[in-house]
Amino acid sequence: MGHGTPASADGTPATTEHKPATIYDVAARAGVSKSLVSLVLQRSPRVSDQRRQAVLTAIQELDYRPSTAAVSLAGTRSRTIGVVLDDFRNQWFVDLLTGLRESLQDQGHRLVVADRFLNTGLDASPVEGFLSMRVEGIVIAGEPDTDLAIPASMPVVVAGGRATLPRADTVANDDRAGGRMAAEHLLSLGHTRIGFVGASSAASAERLAGLQERVDTARADGPPDAEVVTSVMRGEPTETAGAEAVGHLLDEHPDVTAVFAANDVMALGALSALADRGLRVPEDVSVMGYDDTPLAATAYVALTSIDDRSVEIGRGAGERLLARIADPTAPAQETLVEPRLVARRTTAQR
């Protein structure tokens, strides 16, 4: 005798433990279309109370767990935003995501976050995953990469970098202004031999340009010996890169009295390298970072840093993305957020 499919008391097929209920199962149980089930999940007011109750009852009976993908495939908005990060290890993204969440959650949007380089060995692009989830827009946190292959119709905002993508809005820190602030702080403390350690990124280049601009102005007005010397590493601005860069810098310019690092992570590497050489901070060499990450604010490190106001960048990026979704044909906009100096223990009078 063959074995039939187990049935429940009302004659409908029972859901086994190894096969979770789907949106189609809910629709069949409630006697409605899968699109109407999705409307109920989205709390749409266009559903009658009777049908809404039927769907909710079916969901409870089947122990259905709705997914974002199922709702979007049913023809409604996914209310999902994809966020592409450069590197999960960079703490700069913590505040950025906080600002994004604040601006998007009131509109019922959820964030899905992916590291651009996490699955490079698998030739997997985070954008492909986002498109399969039918995200409504994408935020690129950091410097965009043309290899991401984002469709022209997808609303995009670049947060914290400069947009090189057509029709993409930009919300970023004014890196050049931050570099000028760093120079102003160090010059005011009497430092005239200032070292810069950075990496091969647009943000690092802009911060160096601002530093150089302000020192050039100071040299014209006095002191005449004010100078910037640099050590820029290839690759990512990591702690190891910061330590190596400071090593090269001091080998060539041992008279440096202050170091300005392109970000806080590189500044931590600089602190380590200086300690290895027996140099005290700030008594022998003052050190500054950039981004004002949570690490910089810890009592043990107490790093002087330029606050890039990444919460505001994230909040602004979320607002711009919502505007871009509402009007995809609007001209692209660039918004620069003014940074601010946060002085702590790693800088002192020369």
Side-chain angles (χ1 to χ4, degrees):
M1 181 181 293
H3 295 282
T5 302
S8 60
D10 60 2
T12 58
T15 302
T16 59
E17 290 183 1
H18 64 276
K19 187 178 180 182
T22 68
I23 194 170
Y24 299 97
D25 297 328
V26 173
R29 174 68 67 93
V32 300
S33 68
K34 66 181 187 300
S35 296
L36 192 136
V37 174
S38 189
L39 286 173
V40 172
L41 294 173
Q42 291 289 328
R43 298 182 174 88
S44 172
R46 294 183 293 162
V47 182
S48 68
D49 291 341
Q50 182 179 0
R51 288 189 169 185
R52 185 187 308 279
Q53 188 56 52
V55 170
L56 294 176
T57 299
I59 288 174
Q60 183 176 15
E61 290 176 350
L62 295 173
D63 194 25
Y64 173 62
R65 297 290 187 269
S67 69
T68 300
V71 173
S72 63
L73 287 172
T76 62
R77 294 179 60 183
S78 69
R79 294 200 174 275
T80 301
I81 302 299
V83 183
V84 181
L85 304 182
D86 279 341
D87 189 343
F88 276 124
R89 295 170 297 181
N90 193 330
Q91 291 203 359
W92 174 80
F93 297 121
V94 175
D95 288 340
L96 178 80
L97 290 172
T98 297
L100 271 173
R101 187 174 62 250
E102 288 176 0
S103 62
L104 294 171
Q105 67 183 1
D106 289 344
Q107 303 298 321
H109 290 80
R110 60 179 65 85
L111 299 180
V112 179
V113 182
D115 185 325
R116 184 171 45 161
F117 301 111
L118 190 61
N119 293 318
T120 50
L122 303 176
D123 294 326
S125 167
V127 173
E128 293 177 8
F130 291 157
L131 295 178
S132 69
M133 299 175 67
R134 299 196 178 187
V135 297
E136 296 186 10
I138 294 176
V139 175
I140 301 175
E143 296 182 19
D145 187 341
T146 54
D147 293 340
L148 287 173
I150 300 174
S153 59
M154 176 64 66
V156 177
V157 172
V158 177
R162 293 295 187 272
T164 56
L165 305 172
R167 295 174 299 280
D169 295 302
T170 301
V171 181
N173 170 250
D174 191 339
D175 293 304
R176 191 166 292 222
R180 290 193 294 267
M181 282 183 186
E184 183 67 35
H185 176 64
L186 295 174
L187 288 167
S188 71
L189 294 174
H191 297 280
T192 57
R193 191 72 164 164
I194 300 171
F196 175 83
V197 295
S200 53
S201 69
S204 178
E206 283 290 294
R207 292 165 189 179
L208 171 57
L211 178 76
Q212 188 71 64
E213 284 177 5
R214 181 64 188 90
V215 171
D216 288 345
T217 301
R219 185 168 57 247
D221 300 333
D225 59 340
E227 185 179 6
V228 174
V229 293
T230 65
S231 179
V232 178
M233 307 296 291
R234 291 180 178 273
E236 298 299 308
T238 63
E239 184 175 351
T240 299
E244 292 178 358
V246 165
H248 296 317
L249 188 74
L250 293 177
D251 287 343
E252 296 184 11
H253 308 283
D255 55 343
V256 162
T257 64
V259 171
F260 173 43
N263 67 10
D264 288 349
V265 177
M266 293 194 81
L268 291 177
L271 292 172
S272 175
L274 290 168
D276 288 344
R277 289 177 176 241
L279 295 171
R280 299 166 301 164
V281 176
E283 292 85 356
D284 299 320
V285 181
S286 287
V287 176
M288 286 189 67
Y290 204 109
D291 294 335
D292 195 34
T293 59
L295 275 176
T298 59
Y300 180 75
V301 178
L303 176 69
T304 295
S305 185
I306 301 295
D307 179 6
D308 65 353
R309 301 176 64 198
S310 49
V311 172
E312 287 79 2
I313 292 174
R315 190 179 296 119
E319 292 170 356
R320 282 306 313 151
L321 187 62
L322 292 176
R324 172 64 53 190
I325 292 171
D327 186 3
T329 62
Q333 295 186 18
E334 181 182 68
T335 303
L336 294 181
V337 177
E338 187 74 9
R340 59 192 173 202
L341 170 72
V342 182
R344 298 191 179 93
R345 289 201 309 262
T346 59
T347 53
Q349 192 77 33
R350 176 62 181 160

